[in-house]
Structure formats: C-alpha cells, structure tokens
Amino acid sequence: MKESSNLLFDLVLFGGTGDLSMRKLLPALYQLYRTHPFHSSSRIIAVGRTAPSKEAFLHRVQDKLEQHLPEDSWDTVSWQQFAKHLNCISIEADKTESYRGLIPLLSEDRPRVFYFSTHSSLYGAIASSLGALGLITAEARVVLEKPIGRDLDTARQLSGQMSNYFTESQIYRIDHYLGKETVQNLLVLRFANPLFESLWNHHYIDHIQITISETIGVESRGEFYEETGALRDIVQNHLLQLLCILAMEPPPNIEPDRIRDEKLKVLYALQPLLGDGISRYVVRGQYTTGTINGKTCAGYIEEDGVAEHSTIETFVAMKVMIENMRWSGVPFYLRTGKRLPSRSCEIVVHFKEIPHWIFETPRGQLMSNQLVITLQPDESITLRLCGKRLGPGMDVRTVDLNLNPKSRGNKRSADAYERLLLDVIKGDQTLFVRQDELEQAWHWIDPILADWESTSSPPEYYSCGSWGPAGSTLLLAKDGRLWHEGASG
Ligand code: BG6
C-alpha cells in the first residue's frame, strides 16, 4: 500500500499511562495498526502525571498487550513497528507550562486527536491549557471518556468549558458500547428487514430485557467506583444507549445527526422515575463475599479504596417505560452488576403469545418467540420460534434459528475501541453521543441519584456469584415474568 494512503494523525492520550489506556486503548490502537497501517510519521503520545522513561513505558505496553490481546493477534514484528509510533510524556493537568513538551511532537498537516481519559473534573483544565498554547487546530478533535460529569449540572458546566475551545463537530463523546459490532448490526436488523420492523411495537412485543453482567469486581478502581457507582458507570450511558438503539424510530438516513435525533426522542419519552416509583421500579445492590467459578471473592467494602460503610451500588435493575405510540405498555427491564456468575451482554426481545392456540402440546411448555441478541462474550443473534418435532403427530417444540454474524465469514470483528478510534481519525461522529443526548440522559438519571444520596438505607446485598439481590427477581416476578435464562442461568 502507498504510504500516502496510510492513516495520518497525531493522537494525544491524556491518562495515557492509566488503566483504560493499558487495557483497552493501546491494545485497540495496536489492532488498528495491523488492519489500517499508520503513516510513518503518525504519533501516539501517552500523557501521564509522572511519565516513566520511554523504555519503561514501552516495556509496560508490551506486557499489557500480550496480556489483553487474543493470542493470534500478537506478533513481534507488528509490535516493533507499532512501538515506533509511541511516545510518552509527563504533564501536570493544571499547569499550562507543562504542556509545552507537546509542541515539538505535533504536526500541522493532519488531524490532531486529544483523547481525555482522566477524571472528568480535569477535562476543563486540559482544554484550557491546550487552548492557551494554541494547540487546538481547525482539524483537532477531542474524545471525552464517560462518565462525562456526575450529574446534569456538572455535565453542563463541562460542556460550557469544552465549547470555549471546540465546536460540537470536534467533540466525540465516546460510549464504547456503540462501537460493538452487534449494536451496529442491530440497526441493520431493524431497519433493513420489514420482517422485524413490522413487529417492532407494542402490538407484538411483550417486553424487552437488557443485561450487562460482569464477573469482575471493581479491581483497582475502588476510588473511582466510590464516586461513580453502577448507575453512573453503566446505566446512564451503556444501558440507555442500547435502549435508544432498540427503541428509536427509523431515521430518514444514516447521517450521524439523524440517528442522534431519533435516540434523543427516546430519551425524551422515558417515563420519569420519581418519588415512590424509584423504590418500586429500581433495585440497588452491592456485592458481599462469595464464590465465582470456585474462587472466593471479597465483598465490595473489602476492596481497596472503598469506605468501610459505603452504600455505593455495584448492581442496578430497573423497569423502564417509554411513553410513545410505539412502546406504550411495553416494559424494558435493564440490569447490570459486578461479580455476577458470568460476563455477558444480552438483549432479549420477548414477543407476545399467539392469541389462539390450536396444538396439543401445552403452550406453557413452550417459550414465546424471542429474539436473543448477544453482544458478548460471543456475538450472536438467535430467533427462538416454535417448530414441529420430527415424526408423527403435531408435537410442537422450541427451535433456535441462528443468525450468528460469524456465519457470515470468519472475519475478526473489530474491538469497539478500535472501530471508534478509526471513526475519530476519519471524522465520523455517527457512533458518538451528542451533548443534548448526554444532558437528557442525566436529566432522567438525576432524580434516582438524588434519592439514593439522600437516603440512609443501605443497598440490598448479594453474594458474589449470584444474580444480584432478591429485589431484582421480585421486580420481574411482580409482573409475572422472569429474567432470561441465558443470562441468568
Ligand atoms: C466501562 C465501565 O465503561 O465498561 C467498567 O467503566 C466496565 O466498569 C466496562 O467494566 C465494561 O465494558 P466491556 O466492554 O468489557 O463490557
């Protein structure tokens, strides 16, 4: 390939020596390098408060890549080439002078990406120093990691600070769940197939469940989690974004703003959870000591950086209603938690039962039709239907129709961050969140946060390795439903 067609950019990674950078961003950049070779002069500059020597930094990155990449992705030659693009410098976020080290490392002839992956309270100071030194060019872009702010007020303040230096078209609010292949496939499934689109409403859908479950605890991020909790960490962004993609109306085209307009309308239509509604429809849990896959795991309050009497939630389950013509009366049940029995992200669309049953097989023995969309650990889409059992008679059984994307070929699907970083370099905002979406999501979440912060009652406890507190099961049982067995089995 000609050098001129290779990816030309400078990427400055604030928080570049931190956990996210080492676990996700640098491995994603390495994968991107293998599929989209970089121009020889492209640079990735990791910024840390106290940066290690370049040699120590490279050593650490290599270690982490070997740890976090699938085995077949690692090769020494690619690593050596990729490493030539890496730099590491130290900057103190609130000292403009310390940013001068960046100047000789940046070129004018290319997109300049500033990736903010520090605590969001530092974003304003970083933007202001970059601005003061004239480093924000017309082709500059800024990527903001979530959670962006702690609530609506802080998100608005942050937006004000950013807009002093960047236009909306330069701001990329990242939610890496939108970069997952199956989420994009969901748009195609919904809007390219009349089969689904005609059934995608309250006439045919009984309810929808979305679960993001993790086996890991808060790991080394106890301090971060104490300030964040599962509602800010996962519900306000990943879960609400998935809900929007599932519930939105067909956009007139796939231009970024037309898709974002439709997602925003869903957020506007969410029934507010207020007063008694919060305790009735939202479950807040925290893990205690237990066992996962035969290994004993410590409870949340025993984790490093966590207060002894912390009431921070590591689990949330909620029932959400959308007040519009399409979804009236259809509950969306959302659930997320750490230290659950398995890592998975699954969306289950439960269709209504057929109005009149004519077969001998008792209907209760069969499942109603379901569309099961699994985002991880493996991507798959399964349509669960009724079919005839082979042989005499008219015995009905549940059959699975596999629409697994992997059966479309053996192509490796890009990691979410890999895909999104490429979009930023190319200047495509489709899979990024707009400021009005962000604000509306906080507007909806804020009353729940305020309620929990004002109460002295503890969260419901659940043992590591269980599917969350009893309240979560009860939330669905009250409606005569169960969590889907794939995720909860
Ligand atoms: C991040 C959260 O946004 O998503 C983490 O901050 C969580 O707490 C992670 O572990 C989960 O992402 P994934 O892609 O591994 O499901």
Side-chain angles (χ1 to χ4, degrees):
M1 196 191 272
K2 277 209 261 128
E3 169 81 337
S4 60
S5 53
N6 289 351
L7 287 182
L8 179 64
F9 62 92
D10 286 335
L11 169 65
V12 186
L13 215 51
F14 290 92
T17 54
D19 176 69
L20 182 74
S21 173
M22 292 292 165
R23 260 185 328 114
K24 301 266 191 182
L25 303 178
L26 289 165
L29 285 161
Y30 166 82
Q31 295 278 37
L32 182 62
Y33 170 76
R34 287 176 20 116
T35 50
H36 295 75
F38 298 171
H39 190 280
S40 56
S41 68
S42 291
R43 294 183 201 90
I44 297 166
I45 305 150
V47 176
R49 218 175 336 168
T50 50
S53 69
K54 182 159 178 182
E55 201 192 349
F57 173 68
L58 290 182
H59 200 68
R60 205 168 141 217
V61 178
Q62 179 175 356
D63 237 35
K64 294 287 176 182
L65 291 192
E66 284 181 312
Q67 201 177 321
H68 293 291
L69 286 170
E71 240 171 65
D72 56 357
S73 296
W74 173 258
D75 83 80
T76 317
V77 178
S78 299
W79 158 248
Q80 282 164 352
Q81 296 298 324
F82 173 70
K84 290 186 188 154
H85 298 274
L86 299 180
N87 297 273
C88 170
I89 67 166
S90 92
I91 287 181
E92 283 184 63
D94 54 353
K95 297 214 169 81
T96 303
E97 277 311 299
S98 70
Y99 289 67
R100 288 202 182 275
L102 276 178
I103 299 173
L105 296 175
L106 299 173
S107 305
E108 295 288 334
D109 62 340
R110 60 194 65 184
R112 187 173 283 186
V113 180
F114 297 110
Y115 197 119
F116 292 4
S117 156
T118 60
H119 195 289
S120 70
S121 58
L122 298 176
Y123 292 178
I126 301 175
S128 132
S129 290
L130 294 173
L133 294 182
L135 296 177
I136 304 176
T137 54
E139 267 216 89
R141 282 139 216 190
V142 63
V143 184
L144 305 181
E145 254 304 332
K146 53 141 283 269
I148 302 175
R150 298 183 46 72
D151 51 24
L152 180 58
D153 276 355
T154 47
R156 280 191 176 144
Q157 277 164 26
L158 226 150
S159 151
Q161 292 166 338
M162 288 301 123
S163 64
N164 290 333
Y165 305 99
F166 298 95
T167 61
E168 179 65 28
S169 65
Q170 291 178 296
I171 304 177
Y172 291 69
R173 294 174 197 84
I174 200 163
D175 183 319
H176 76 279
Y177 268 66
L178 293 181
K180 294 189 190 269
E181 181 70 22
T182 313
V183 175
Q184 294 146 47
N185 197 17
L186 198 53
L187 289 174
V188 178
L189 196 75
R190 281 201 55 198
F191 301 131
N193 295 297
L195 176 71
F196 289 115
E197 194 44 30
S198 56
L199 300 180
W200 212 255
N201 56 54
H202 68 100
H203 294 296
Y204 298 100
I205 293 181
D206 177 72
H207 74 281
I208 296 185
Q209 301 183 9
I210 315 177
T211 296
I212 298 179
S213 66
E214 298 185 273
T215 50
I216 54 169
V218 293
E219 311 290 289
S220 57
R221 301 194 307 157
E223 271 173 44
F224 161 82
Y225 215 77
E226 279 288 275
E227 283 186 30
T228 311
L231 193 65
R232 288 189 178 95
D233 191 36
I234 302 276
V235 181
Q236 189 270 346
N237 32 75
H238 303 329
L239 276 173
L240 286 187
Q241 283 293 324
L242 292 180
L243 172 84
C244 286
I245 300 272
L246 280 166
M248 70 193 235
E249 292 301 312
N253 54 49
I254 56 163
E255 279 173 24
D257 273 331
R258 298 299 73 80
I259 293 184
R260 302 193 300 183
D261 290 346
E262 297 306 331
K263 286 196 287 158
L264 179 63
K265 286 185 207 159
V266 176
L267 293 168
Y268 278 131
L270 296 182
Q271 188 178 81
L273 285 168
L274 307 167
D276 283 359
I278 298 174
S279 51
R280 229 175 309 142
Y281 301 125
V282 191
V283 178
R284 178 174 65 124
Q286 187 188 88
Y287 61 81
T288 57
T289 312
T291 319
I292 301 182
N293 296 330
K295 264 177 69 185
T296 305
C297 305
Y300 176 67
I301 53 161
E302 294 153 62
E303 305 273 16
D304 283 348
V306 171
E308 202 181 336
H309 300 292
S310 174
T311 57
I312 287 296
E313 76 288 354
T314 58
F315 178 99
V316 178
M318 51 170 49
K319 175 178 173 180
V320 180
M321 302 301 289
I322 299 177
E323 294 179 316
N324 65 17
M325 294 279 252
R326 185 185 286 265
W327 295 115
S328 179
V330 180
F332 285 71
Y333 298 100
L334 315 186
R335 171 173 66 157
T336 186
K338 294 213 182 271
R339 289 285 189 224
L340 300 185
S342 63
R343 174 175 182 257
S344 99
C345 176
E346 191 180 72
I347 297 166
V348 187
V349 180
H350 290 253
F351 290 90
K352 289 190 169 162
E353 290 192 340
I354 203 109
H356 177 62
W357 187 250
I358 58 171
F359 301 101
E360 274 178 21
T361 315
R363 191 156 48 173
Q365 283 179 11
L366 300 161
M367 277 185 230
S368 61
N369 289 175
Q370 292 171 5
L371 180 67
V372 182
I373 303 156
T374 309
L375 279 71
Q376 57 196 31
D378 299 315
E379 298 161 36
S380 68
I381 301 182
T382 304
L383 190 56
R384 198 157 273 182
L385 304 168
C386 286
K388 182 186 164 302
R389 197 181 292 281
L390 217 63
M394 282 295 246
D395 215 8
V396 182
R397 65 185 177 120
T398 305
V399 285
D400 283 354
L401 209 65
N402 204 340
L403 314 174
N404 192 341
K406 283 204 178 123
S407 64
R408 290 179 291 154
N410 273 334
K411 247 176 118 189
R412 178 186 74 87
S413 67
D415 162 83
Y417 276 107
E418 180 185 340
R419 158 81 202 249
L420 294 173
L421 281 160
L422 179 62
D423 286 354
V424 177
I425 293 168
K426 291 191 164 170
D428 181 347
Q429 286 191 309
T430 310
L431 298 173
F432 295 83
V433 177
R434 206 167 55 191
Q435 179 64 21
D436 47 9
E437 284 179 79
L438 175 76
E439 289 190 13
Q440 193 53 33
W442 277 124
H443 176 76
W444 188 78
I445 289 283
D446 268 3
I448 309 172
L449 285 172
D451 183 82
W452 289 355
E453 276 161 18
S454 69
T455 171
S456 53
S457 61
E460 283 186 58
Y461 296 106
Y462 64 99
S463 311
C464 291
S466 71
W467 279 99
S472 166
T473 312
L474 204 62
L475 181 74
L476 269 71
K478 283 189 282 194
D479 295 342
R481 298 183 175 112
L482 289 169
W483 287 106
H484 180 251
E485 60 173 17
S488 60

